[in-house]
Amino acid sequence: MRIRTLRSPCIQPDRIVIGVDIAKHSCVAVAQTGEGGVTKPCTFKTNWSGFEGLLAFGRRAKATAGAKDFVVALEPTGHYGAPLVAWLQDHGIEVMQVEALHTNRFKELIDGTRRKTDAKDAAIIATLCRQGTCRPYRL
């Protein structure tokens, strides 16, 4: 009997993963390196200038870590995240999707609590993407 294994699109160590927690008026992003280190959270508005700020944050994180490029990961949030995803894809940035159920279940493993903060959620999204628990985001 032959067993097939399915491979997740695991992110290579030479890429930065930027986890984004989407909200109505402002979002929080955290960059994670291939070694697992995370940056301080970056808060940005959900408008064009805020999206430019996220892009600059990603470029700074990439340069600091000496990475090849970066990918943005987020949870599907319906219409709140659609403008950001469209803008990122128009600028040639790869966007990955992490399921909200996985984020909620993984939250307790991080620090033993179900406490929710935007920065913690962004870091969890980045970690799950790095591990391959994600798929390409399709609008």
Side-chain angles (χ1 to χ4, degrees):
M1 179 163 93
R2 189 173 186 198
I3 298 174
R4 284 192 326 168
T5 58
L6 298 176
R7 288 195 154 253
S8 297
C10 190
I11 305 301
Q12 299 301 320
D14 60 346
R15 297 180 85 186
I16 297 289
V17 176
I18 299 177
V20 178
D21 186 45
I22 303 286
K24 186 175 184 179
H25 298 291
S26 65
C27 304
V28 175
V30 173
Q32 185 183 58
T33 64
E35 293 83 36
V38 294
T39 63
K40 290 183 179 179
C42 167
T43 302
F44 62 96
K45 298 285 183 191
T46 54
N47 56 28
W48 300 132
S49 64
F51 299 165
E52 289 285 344
L54 174 65
L55 189 61
F57 172 73
R59 289 180 177 152
R60 278 192 312 272
K62 179 179 85 166
T64 301
K68 182 175 70 171
D69 63 350
F70 65 92
V71 60
V72 175
L74 45 91
E75 292 176 333
T77 54
H79 64 281
Y80 289 139
L84 174 61
V85 172
W87 190 88
L88 288 169
Q89 289 176 344
D90 286 347
H91 285 78
I93 306 297
E94 186 177 3
V95 182
M96 302 300 280
Q97 172 180 322
V98 174
E99 292 300 324
L101 180 63
H102 295 157
T103 305
N104 287 332
R105 289 186 176 166
F106 194 74
K107 195 177 298 186
E108 250 182 272
L109 296 174
I110 297 296
D111 60 5
T113 67
R114 295 190 61 77
R115 184 177 44 115
K116 180 188 179 341
T117 65
D118 293 339
K120 181 180 174 181
D121 286 351
I124 289 170
I125 291 167
T127 300
L128 289 171
C129 181
R130 165 101 32 225
Q131 293 176 350
T133 311
C134 59
R135 64 176 183 246
Y137 202 107
R138 303 280 183 247
L139 283 176

